[in-house]
Amino acid sequence: MIKRFSFPSTFEIALLLSLIVFLFALVLTKPEGLPHLSYGYSVLGFWKSGFWDLLEFTMQMVLILVLGHTLALSAPIDKGLRKISALIKNNTHAVLLTGTMAMAGGYLNWGFGLVLGAILARKIGEFAQENNIQINYYLVGASGYLGMLVWHGGLSGSATLKVAEQGHFLQESMGVIPINQTVFSAFNLYVNLFLIILLLIVLYLLSLKKFDKNQVSLGKSGSSTHSKSKEKIGWILGLVMILVICGELFFSGDQIWASVDLNFVNFTLLALGLLFYGSLSDYVQSLSFAVKGATDIIIQFPFYAGILGMMKYSGLLVLLADDMVARSGTATFPLLSFASAAIVNFFVPSGGGQWAIQGPVMMEAAQKMGIDLPKMVMTFAYGDQLSNMLQPFWALPLLSITGIPAKEIFKYTAYFFLAATVVFGLSILIWLA
């Protein structure tokens, strides 16, 4: 019997990429006269040396997902989403409202926006069903995924926040780039503005199309499971942390942008979560649930770091960067980098893991060609977030919460992919003009 093809898991892809990079390093960087077996062992040593180089970055990525997810599950957010879902009057309302909230949440934090969009889509589906409002629930669900199309240009972008951090792993080669040159640059703000406007137009047009009015039957998802504990340790601790944040920003003066990095964002998410829950025990209960969603990051990032170690210590990194410079120029490199980031995202779905592998090569080549580094960081970010609309890795929580089959989501997210490709592509061309 012929077995059906099953797409490899993201962890299996990480292992495959490790093997591919090992073979490239073995063939392309081996010193003359050194036996392959001996050099192969050296490359494995490079892999081991790099394996733990990104431990801090790994923990930062775990926290930014888990803390954002936990915040989205809090009682105030749950109550607010119920009130928002009661505002819908028709299908267009449902679609535009879900898409707008998902993008706003994703811009603030990708983990928060991902869960927020999924929960809101579910609650709108339940409200519509209870009140006999005909909605295209599949399109509403797809709209709830839009946070993953804006996140890397927002406040929790892996690459943008990492390069703003003192001591980040590329600082020796590219320095520190504060977020006012990336996230809050005029270039990125205009790109996001045009992207959101176009996506809302696409959502409106899609909402007018005929749809199957008997898509799914939803039961109630239940009310908040918080125990409503009377202890307020979480509230007190959260308030203290907010005061620390405000003080840090107030005394930063002209260096306010330099203080906003991954650690700052995670500290803020933790503070808000503790404030929203009030009870420390309730917060820990939801946190324990959210941690399950970070399993892939925990196990995969050391392998991405190992890949970076082989590329860095073998000299393959410089070799690849030189090749990219030779094969492209200042007029084509940004567009090629954008396209490559979108493609690589299919195989390395974590933006942080992808930056660890692809970022060093891109930045090395960009520096050799004298290309604006902050804009190159954003070019990478746009490509990384673009192909989220075509690959299912980060859609799994949404599919689980909404109960919508993957094929029904992606037939709509394909339109979002095309719209974003136009915005990002034209923006990069205008920059290069």
Side-chain angles (χ1 to χ4, degrees), residues 153-377:
L155 302 181
S156 66
S158 303
T160 53
L161 291 181
K162 193 61 186 175
V163 299
E165 183 179 299
Q166 289 289 340
H168 69 88
F169 63 90
L170 293 179
Q171 183 173 343
E172 287 187 12
S173 60
M174 63 180 291
V176 174
I177 302 176
I179 61 170
N180 63 319
Q181 296 181 35
T182 53
V183 177
F184 291 116
S185 65
F187 175 70
N188 184 55
L189 293 176
Y190 278 121
V191 169
N192 276 293
L193 176 63
F194 292 131
L195 175 64
I196 291 170
I197 291 173
L198 183 56
L199 288 174
L200 290 176
I201 293 172
V202 171
L203 287 175
Y204 175 75
L205 295 176
L206 289 175
S207 72
L208 300 179
K209 295 179 65 176
K210 291 183 179 180
F211 58 90
D212 179 10
K213 296 181 179 178
N214 298 300
Q215 294 175 337
V216 290
S217 179
L218 294 170
K220 283 191 175 183
S221 58
S223 58
S224 174
T225 58
H226 303 300
S227 64
K228 297 181 180 179
S229 170
K230 291 183 180 180
E231 59 96 353
K232 298 298 180 184
I233 297 175
W235 189 87
I236 296 171
L237 183 56
L239 182 60
V240 171
M241 294 173 72
I242 291 295
L243 290 175
V244 172
I245 292 168
C246 293
E248 181 179 341
L249 292 176
F250 180 79
F251 291 110
S252 294
D254 295 336
Q255 301 299 314
I256 187 170
W257 298 117
S259 65
V260 180
D261 55 19
L262 282 169
N263 294 329
F264 180 91
V265 170
N266 280 328
F267 192 83
T268 304
L269 287 173
L270 177 57
L272 291 175
L274 290 168
L275 273 178
F276 278 30
Y277 280 85
S279 165
L280 186 60
S281 58
D282 285 351
Y283 183 79
V284 172
Q285 180 183 349
S286 290
L287 186 72
S288 299
F289 174 77
V291 165
K292 297 175 183 178
T295 304
D296 287 293
I297 291 178
I298 293 171
I299 191 62
Q300 288 177 41
F301 263 60
F303 285 89
Y304 296 148
I307 291 172
L308 178 59
M310 287 189 286
M311 294 172 65
K312 178 181 177 181
Y313 300 124
S314 70
L316 182 61
L317 176 61
V318 175
L319 196 66
L320 291 174
D322 288 341
D323 185 68
M324 292 179 75
V325 172
R327 293 176 183 272
S328 60
T330 55
T332 57
F333 181 69
L335 275 175
L336 291 174
S337 298
F338 165 70
S340 68
I343 294 170
V344 171
N345 185 46
F346 283 104
F347 305 100
V348 186
S350 164
Q354 185 178 342
W355 176 249
I357 295 173
Q358 196 173 6
V361 180
M362 287 179 59
M363 293 302 104
E364 181 80 18
Q367 283 182 298
K368 289 178 181 292
M369 288 185 277
I371 298 176
D372 185 272
L373 293 185
K375 286 183 179 176
M376 278 306 303
V377 173

